[in-house]
Amino acid sequence: MGLVWYTHSRSGTFLTRVTPSTGEVTSHPSPVHQPDGFAVRGNRAVPTRRDHNRRTVELTRAEFDGTTWTATDRRTLHVPGRVVGRCGQGRDGVLWLRAGDTWLCIEA
């Protein structure tokens, strides 16, 4: 089982998987440019991107086919408060997203 996270570079945003047992590192372009939040479970991911100064967030569902992350669904979610920048915390396939005084739970 690997660990996945996103990084930003001049050539785009990439999802990087590290296999702890071997140290193997592979990177693939993200289906979302500069996400604010991210969670992954198996071959499914939920990156989010907040709308600055608005009470909405773009939620993308994506799947990995072994070579490419592909967006399978995109929607705009209306949330109870402004989404706090860089405050999407992903763990064990669940994204916790802070919106105002509320934490939203989104499963990958």
Side-chain angles (χ1 to χ4, degrees), residues 2-108:
L3 171 68
V4 177
W5 70 94
Y6 63 89
T7 58
H8 302 288
S9 73
R10 290 178 188 218
S11 56
T13 301
F14 292 85
L15 304 178
T16 302
R17 180 180 300 264
V18 178
T19 305
S21 60
T22 64
E24 178 186 6
V25 176
T26 55
S27 292
H28 303 278
S30 171
V32 174
H33 182 68
Q34 295 184 341
D36 286 311
F38 180 82
V40 66
R41 175 174 286 145
N43 67 337
R44 296 175 306 169
V46 286
T48 58
R49 187 175 161 107
R50 71 187 174 110
D51 290 328
H52 299 280
N53 296 319
R54 297 197 178 148
R55 291 179 175 211
T56 58
V57 64
E58 179 184 78
L59 170 70
T60 302
R61 293 198 177 273
E63 289 190 19
F64 186 65
D65 65 8
T67 56
T68 305
W69 282 99
T70 303
T72 58
D73 185 42
R74 289 186 206 273
R75 55 183 68 178
T76 299
L77 301 178
H78 295 274
V79 295
R82 233 176 33 99
V83 176
V84 178
R86 308 274 185 245
C87 209
Q89 308 294 323
R91 183 182 172 115
D92 299 330
V94 176
L95 175 67
W96 289 94
L97 184 67
R98 185 171 169 205
D101 293 331
T102 304
W103 283 90
L104 305 171
C105 175
I106 303 168
E107 291 191 36

